[in-house]
Amino acid sequence: MSLEERARKLLTGKVEFLLSAPALHFLPDAGAPEIAFAGRSNVGKSSLLNALTGRKKLARASVTPGRTQELNYFEAGDPVEIRLVDMPGYGFAKAPVKVVQQWRHLINDYLRGRTTLKRALVLIDSRRGIKDVDREVMKMLDGAAVNYNLVLTKADKIKKSELDATLEAVTAEARKHPAAHPDIHVTSSEKGMGIAKLRTAILAAAEA
Ligand code: GDP
């Protein structure tokens, strides 16, 4: 079976919510390789996770308001082959300083201490490009030496010419970041664009 076919079968097959970790000591014991998803709030992270797993809504524990600072763990495969880690969204304009600091600590500790973390995906809205809050996360990943891919979301929302310009700018910026992978993924969860390729990259990173 090709890597692409295995990735599709794995990620659209059994995927189950494991737990929400509001702090490091709630993390599950190290197990299957982890792929972490990061991005500004509203970047399309939930939609992308749904598209990758071929679901309308990936089940998770009730997300109560105010409890957004959590790492949500999902496990794929039977037996489990891979863990998908939904990182808390960042970039809330009105987030209190304390919340931002808590977020930074949680993410930094997670990125630096997690040996089973194989790859991070940093989602970037195609219409907006890379913002300073994204750059901060990219620097955290560089500092923790966690390899990551930039993933453009909502590619269906803009014209091809605009998308090409964004892709060029994002590619140029990725080159300046030591832990950023040169391959930028262009996706639309709505249209299914780039989803099969991203699934394949996820499995390849998990198995590397
Ligand atoms: P999250 O906050 O990062 O989890 O973002 P969501 O997945 O909830 O998406 C935020 C908004 O963007 C929602 O209104 C989605 O319907 C929309 N959205 C997400 N992905 C796409 C996409 O690929 N295309 C379009 N047109 N809209 C999208």
Side-chain angles (χ1 to χ4, degrees):
M1 212 191 303
S2 69
L3 187 68
E4 177 170 343
E5 183 58 10
R6 280 203 295 124
R8 190 188 62 78
K9 281 209 161 147
L10 175 63
L11 290 172
T12 65
K14 188 177 177 188
V15 180
E16 293 199 329
F17 176 77
L18 177 62
L19 55 77
S20 283
L24 274 207
H25 60 274
F26 290 100
L27 289 185
D29 289 342
E34 297 178 9
I35 307 289
F37 293 71
R40 287 164 56 107
S41 311
N42 212 40
V43 71
K45 188 151 54 65
S46 315
S47 303
L48 186 68
L49 278 162
N50 291 340
L52 288 169
T53 55
R55 285 161 171 79
K56 283 216 166 65
K57 193 151 180 31
L58 198 54
R60 70 167 101 186
S62 65
V63 180
T64 30
R67 288 193 60 202
T68 51
Q69 305 287 313
E70 294 174 332
L71 297 163
N72 285 297
Y73 270 79
F74 298 89
E75 292 187 317
D78 191 10
V80 174
E81 282 182 52
I82 194 168
R83 282 171 168 171
L84 306 175
V85 184
D86 184 7
M87 293 170 60
Y90 53 83
F92 279 112
K94 289 182 210 139
V97 176
K98 201 169 143 258
V99 172
V100 176
Q101 278 172 352
Q102 270 171 6
W103 180 90
R104 204 174 279 137
H105 277 128
L106 174 64
I107 298 310
N108 241 330
D109 290 350
Y110 170 68
L111 295 179
R112 287 177 181 277
R114 198 71 175 169
T115 50
T116 45
L117 174 59
K118 296 291 180 169
R119 183 74 59 99
L121 305 177
V122 179
L123 278 50
I124 304 289
D125 191 321
S126 294
R127 296 167 303 175
R128 297 173 194 272
I130 300 174
K131 299 289 182 197
D132 281 344
V133 281
D134 302 311
R135 291 186 181 100
E136 190 193 342
V137 172
M138 291 164 71
K139 278 186 198 152
M140 286 164 78
L141 289 158
D142 291 331
V146 172
N147 290 330
Y148 58 100
N149 284 91
L150 298 173
V151 177
L152 298 183
T153 61
K154 310 186 193 180
D156 60 287
K157 282 210 166 191
I158 56 171
K159 284 190 252 159
K160 170 97 170 59
S161 56
E162 291 167 336
L163 184 60
D164 288 346
T166 306
L167 182 58
E168 196 177 318
V170 168
T171 303
E173 187 153 350
R175 273 195 214 106
K176 297 181 199 152
H177 287 265
H181 199 281
D183 196 9
I184 314 292
H185 287 266
V186 180
T187 66
S188 163
S189 301
E190 198 108 314
K191 308 280 182 213
M193 171 185 179
I195 299 300
K197 181 169 170 262
L198 185 56
R199 278 189 198 122
T200 309
I202 287 171
L203 184 58
E207 291 185 344

